[in-house]
């Protein structure tokens, strides 16, 4: 989990405790991802209460339907990388009242987009011919 560098806390400083949740056991060797994602979905729905039990119908037909639903949900939730800063995860800068225009820069290696302010550049320093994000500079 990453800590949002613009001041928003993303579950970084929470002390997690282990636990046990009773659950249906998969009957094949290929549906473990479906079971895990379904358990996560149910946990998020009930948060902050942690469920004590999960019951998933392990029939092949139900697993196939869950796969389709999950794929649809993932595709519908997907947003273009070009619309969000890869550092802060936001479209707009928080507290942007004193910023008239948000300047962006794109990494020349991975093609991800960043707010200039989030990567510590000045607005006029983005005129370089090549710029690489922190992750690409490390590799």
């Amino acid at each position: 989990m990453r800590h949002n560098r613009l001041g928003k806390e993303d579950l970084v400083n929470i002390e997690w405790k282990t636990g046990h949740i009773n659950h249906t056991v998969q009957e094949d060797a290929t549906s473990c991802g479906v079971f895990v994602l379904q358990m996560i979905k149910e946990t998020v729905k009930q948060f902050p209460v942690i469920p004590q039990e999960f019951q998933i119908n392990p029939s092949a037909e139900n697993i196939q339907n869950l796969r389709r639903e999950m794929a649809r949900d993932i595709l519908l939730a997907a947003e273009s990388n070009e619309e969000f800063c890869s550092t802060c995860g936001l479209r707009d800068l928080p507290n942007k009242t004193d910023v008239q225009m948000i300047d962006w820069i794109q990494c020349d290696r991975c093609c991800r987009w960043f707010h200039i302010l989030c990567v510590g550049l000045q607005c006029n320093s983005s005129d370089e011919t090549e710029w690489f994000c922190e992750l690409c500079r490390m590799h």
Side-chain angles (χ1 to χ4, degrees), residues 47-86:
F47 187 81
V49 175
I50 303 298
Q52 298 299 307
E53 185 175 26
F54 288 110
Q55 293 297 319
I56 300 170
N57 176 351
S59 72
E61 182 181 346
N62 186 56
I63 297 301
Q64 194 62 25
N65 288 336
L66 286 173
R67 276 194 178 99
R68 281 191 200 100
E69 283 178 30
M70 289 174 190
R72 185 198 70 228
D73 291 347
I74 290 168
L75 290 172
L76 289 173
E79 298 274 355
S80 167
N81 289 347
E82 298 172 9
E83 295 181 21
F84 296 93
C85 173
S86 293

Side-chain angles (χ1 to χ4, degrees), residues 15-69:
E15 187 175 322
W16 294 91
K17 296 179 180 149
T18 60
H20 179 79
I21 300 173
N22 295 320
H23 59 84
T24 310
V25 178
Q26 71 189 63
E27 296 178 352
D28 61 16
T30 60
S31 61
C32 58
V34 174
F35 273 71
V36 170
L37 287 174
Q38 191 63 25
M39 286 186 224
I40 291 168
K41 182 178 178 180
E42 293 302 319
T43 301
V44 169
K45 271 189 204 174
Q46 297 179 38
F47 187 81
V49 175
I50 303 298
Q52 298 299 307
E53 185 175 26
F54 288 110
Q55 293 297 319
I56 300 170
N57 176 351
S59 72
E61 182 181 346
N62 186 56
I63 297 301
Q64 194 62 25
N65 288 336
L66 286 173
R67 276 194 178 99
R68 281 191 200 100
E69 283 178 30

Side-chain angles (χ1 to χ4, degrees), residues 86-98:
S86 293
T87 297
C88 72
L90 301 174
R91 184 176 286 145
D92 298 320
L93 288 170
N95 305 324
K96 67 174 187 162
T97 52
D98 42 336

